[in-house]
Amino acid sequence: MSTTFLPVLVSLDELDPQDEGDIVLDEFLGGLAVGYASGPPYQGLVTWRDLRQIRLHPHDLRRYAFELLTKWTAEVQVDGRPPVLMVSFGGWESSAVLLDEFWERLAGQVPGELVIGVPARDVVMVTGSGSPLGVEKVRRAVDRMFFAGSRGLLSRDLLVWRRGWEIWRHYPPHPH
């Protein structure tokens, strides 16, 4: 198969409600879902019609997409200096959020629990719950991106790693 599939985080708030039923989406967390971009160049999201046309079962789509993402795990880089680190993954930084093994390895390298901000497809900021300064910096950066109306917005929420992602409730709630 020359087409490959990449799992990508999608904001349900940013989707056109008419498209939502047409796109293959899996629940993730809060207002986020997992969609599947076909490519290369990984631009559009796979629809149910696409799957019928290429005769691909949704289970196989998920398996192929996560196999590709897992193969690319070595490409995920962490840059910056504490208290806030940045994930670098060729413009698909938010897809790295789906790599459980990567986060398991990174979890012990921050003070407290691993806390991330994923305000946009290409931005993932990492800190630890034991770093109030780091949490505040991530919170402010997420808020700034939403205030500026950046492209590809995903989530205002901070996430915490607890052998899987949860919405982190240990900070002052963001204004909506």
Side-chain angles (χ1 to χ4, degrees):
M1 169 182 314
S2 62
T3 299
T4 56
F5 304 97
L6 183 66
V8 296
L9 286 183
V10 176
S11 169
L12 296 175
D13 294 338
E14 297 292 315
L15 278 182
D16 182 327
Q18 288 181 309
D19 293 339
E20 198 171 319
D22 296 335
I23 296 171
V24 179
L25 295 172
D26 295 323
E27 285 186 35
F28 183 65
L29 187 62
L32 296 174
V34 177
Y36 300 89
S38 61
Y42 306 108
Q43 290 175 342
L45 293 173
V46 174
T47 65
W48 292 103
R49 183 174 178 219
D50 296 335
L51 286 187
R52 285 190 300 275
Q53 284 181 335
I54 61 174
R55 296 190 172 117
L56 185 64
H57 191 277
H59 175 78
D60 293 325
L61 168 69
R62 292 176 186 103
R63 184 169 51 91
Y64 295 145
F66 279 93
E67 283 173 2
L68 178 66
L69 185 61
T70 301
K71 269 194 240 179
W72 288 357
T73 301
E75 304 294 315
V76 181
Q77 302 293 317
V78 180
D79 305 311
R81 295 182 2 187
V84 178
L85 306 171
M86 299 294 289
V87 171
S88 175
F89 190 47
W92 294 99
E93 285 72 11
S94 62
S95 290
V97 172
L98 303 170
L99 288 166
D100 291 355
E101 294 163 15
F102 172 77
W103 298 105
E104 278 296 320
R105 288 193 311 270
L106 193 59
Q109 299 177 32
V110 298
E113 293 179 296
L114 192 58
V115 175
I116 65 170
V118 189
R121 185 193 79 206
D122 60 349
V123 177
V124 176
M125 297 167 280
V126 181
T127 192
S129 62
S131 172
L133 179 61
V135 171
E136 180 57 29
K137 283 183 172 210
V138 171
R139 170 84 273 140
R140 279 197 321 261
V142 168
D143 288 344
R144 274 195 310 270
M145 289 189 75
F146 273 82
F147 180 77
S150 300
R151 288 176 40 96
L153 291 174
L154 289 177
S155 179
R156 291 178 182 266
D157 292 315
L158 300 188
L159 307 181
V160 60
W161 179 256
R162 294 181 175 142
R163 301 218 182 275
W165 292 112
E166 297 176 20
I167 293 176
W168 197 44
R169 306 276 182 211
H170 295 88
Y171 60 90
H174 51 77
H176 275 286

